[in-house]
Amino acid sequence: MAGALAGCGGGAKQEANEIKIGGNFELTGSVANYGKQAVNGIQLAIKQANAAGGINGKQIKLVMADNKSEAAEATNAITKLITQDKVVTVLGPATSSNTIATLQVSQDNKVPLITPTGTSEKITVDNGKTRPYAFRSCFIDPLQGTIMANFASNTLKAKTAAIYIDSSSDYSKGLAQSFESVFTKNGGQILGQEAFLQKDQDFKSTLTKIKAMNPDVVFLPAYYEEVGKIVKQAREMGMNMPFLGADGWDDAKVVEIAGAAPLNNTYFCSHFSSQDTDPNVVKFREAYKQEYNQEPGVFAALGYDAGLFLIDALKRANSTDPAKIRDALEQTKNLQLSTGMMTVDANHNPIKSVVVLEMKDGKQVFKEKIAPQL
């Protein structure tokens, strides 16, 4: 009701002094931890911008909607934010599948959408054409798959691999494709691929098949809840080979679910490490800790970056016209974010660095930072 009334009565005066931004995030449901962290980062960026005078004297107002970690709810949420709340840009959702479910509404209404953490290629490119109103502040799945395939081949010296995907996830399937392509180009052999569904609890039957393959490594492109359960069950079955993943692993809850010891000898790539000594990372980490009394995770960093990305575009657009905001987002070059310098490419994807992390006794250990051209 509050959202529906926002534009009524005294709303006109209020709107003259504010810029309404929508937030469409997973605040409840299976990946709520992603959404909550991203929102924390966004709110910090907005708080800092408003404290510094806002955008041309206008304060930024974040209007939130909970998509409950479901694609259909994500579509409903963006529809409400655009048609009822009259936001000029939408931030979120956090996951690829939920973001993809919202794209048609964004494009039809010509309102820019920025996902902080949706990494599927399909978000910004449709059948070879760039979606004009879709953007992101994270790198894309093919880069993650490439990085981890090269890591398996070059650092771990793996010759064989098995792939274990979440067949209900666009994110997982996209990562698997890029990993397989690069690993085989490197001379490696994919021994087989098995699949599970999000919210599955017992993975032993498919893990038994993977164990029989005896791969040097297992590539597991999935989200933290399933990752934790799979790694725990795999170790209980005596599967001690390295497990590899991507940014969906990057959440403290994976340790709660799997336990510290089972996660030893696992590696994943991500966008950010709080152990990175880059001054911009340090500055963000200190501000986040002061605001929330906790260390920021990757989703918080990318949420913050999405906020900075939009705030910079709003300043350059000098307008609340969604089309002008879109143009400014597209023209972003050498923008300093918490995760590094970002330039937007022709497909609306950021060109930026990647970090590789190792799990040791329940803690993330910063391994290396890889330049964007790789």
Side-chain angles (χ1 to χ4, degrees):
M1 183 178 290
L5 293 174
C8 302
K13 183 178 179 182
Q14 183 186 25
E15 288 177 8
N17 296 313
E18 67 185 20
I19 301 172
K20 279 189 181 180
I21 305 301
N24 179 2
F25 282 100
E26 297 81 345
L27 303 180
T28 57
S30 61
V31 290
N33 220 38
Y34 293 156
K36 289 174 183 176
Q37 284 191 61
V39 171
N40 279 352
I42 290 165
Q43 288 175 328
L44 177 60
I46 290 173
K47 181 179 179 179
Q48 290 174 340
N50 283 340
I55 309 296
N56 299 322
K58 294 184 178 182
Q59 294 286 287
I60 303 167
K61 180 180 179 182
L62 182 65
V63 183
M64 286 302 306
D66 178 13
N67 63 42
K68 304 175 185 176
S69 301
E70 296 174 8
E73 290 289 345
T75 304
N76 293 337
I78 192 171
T79 301
K80 175 190 175 293
L81 288 167
I82 292 173
T83 63
Q84 294 182 35
D85 297 316
K86 308 295 185 185
V87 301
V88 297
T89 303
V90 176
L91 296 168
T95 68
S96 292
S97 294
N98 291 341
T99 303
I100 288 167
T102 69
L103 291 172
Q104 198 61 52
V105 178
S106 166
Q107 306 307 294
D108 288 348
N109 286 277
K110 297 184 177 180
V111 171
L113 176 152
I114 305 170
T115 174
T117 49
T119 50
S120 170
E121 252 188 313
K122 296 177 184 177
I123 290 170
T124 52
V125 177
D126 179 29
N127 292 323
K129 293 183 179 179
T130 304
R131 297 184 196 266
Y133 284 85
F135 298 86
R136 68 178 109 220
S137 56
C138 56
F139 49 61
I140 59 175
D141 290 341
L143 178 61
Q144 297 199 78
T146 296
I147 292 293
M148 293 316 293
N150 286 334
F151 181 79
S153 301
N154 302 331
T155 302
L156 300 182
K157 308 301 182 187
K159 303 297 183 187
T160 61
I163 298 174
Y164 195 20
I165 69 163
D166 176 353
S167 61
S168 60
S169 166
D170 292 311
Y171 164 84
S172 190
K173 289 183 278 191
L175 278 164
Q177 288 172 3
S178 56
F179 179 91
E180 179 173 5
S181 173
V182 175
F183 189 74
T184 53
K185 281 179 185 174
N186 289 345
Q189 182 184 1
I190 302 297
L191 300 178
Q193 179 173 296
E194 294 294 330
F196 61 92
L197 291 170
Q198 202 171 87
K199 303 193 178 181
D200 280 354
Q201 300 297 318
D202 188 343
F203 303 90
K204 290 189 174 68
S205 62
T206 42
L207 283 172
T208 298
K209 295 177 184 177
I210 293 172
K211 184 180 180 182
M213 297 175 197
N214 195 28
D216 293 336
V217 297
V218 178
F219 184 55
L220 175 58
Y223 296 130
Y224 64 85
E225 190 166 332
E226 286 74 29
V227 166
K229 293 170 185 173
I230 288 167
V231 172
K232 184 174 189 291
Q233 291 176 31
R235 299 311 194 207
E236 290 169 352
M237 294 168 60
M239 298 174 66
N240 298 317
M241 72 283 286
F243 274 68
L244 311 180
D247 62 339
W249 287 49
D250 198 351
D251 193 280
K253 282 193 176 291
V254 76
V255 181
E256 293 177 26
I257 296 165
L263 285 165
N264 287 339
N265 202 26
T266 66
Y267 306 84
F268 62 92
C269 67
S270 195
H271 313 254
F272 164 85
S273 169
S274 62
Q275 297 172 24
D276 193 340
T277 55
D278 182 300
N280 296 290
V281 174
V282 173
K283 182 180 176 183
F284 161 68
R285 185 173 69 236
E286 290 175 351
Y288 190 90
K289 284 175 69 176
Q290 184 175 346
E291 185 70 19
Y292 297 109
N293 198 31
Q294 62 184 27
E295 285 281 347
V298 63
F299 282 76
L302 289 172
Y304 183 75
D305 284 359
L308 295 182
F309 182 24
L310 176 56
I311 289 161
D312 175 71
L314 286 169
K315 289 176 180 175
R316 287 185 290 105
N318 195 26
S319 172
T320 56
D321 178 353
K324 290 182 179 177
I325 297 169
R326 188 213 78 86
D327 291 346
L329 289 167
E330 190 174 68
Q331 293 158 11
T332 301
K333 288 184 180 179
N334 298 324
L335 176 64
Q336 184 62 60
L337 305 176
S338 73
T339 57
M341 196 77 76
M342 183 183 90
T343 292
V344 174
D345 71 12
N347 291 328
H348 293 181
N349 298 320
I351 303 168
K352 59 196 297 194
S353 296
V354 184
V355 298
V356 176
L357 304 166
E358 178 181 2
M359 294 301 296
K360 280 189 179 178
D361 301 323
K363 304 290 186 186
Q364 293 182 4
V365 177
F366 178 67
K367 290 285 287 182
E368 54 188 307
K369 199 170 196 173
I370 298 168
Q373 63 263 29
L374 300 179

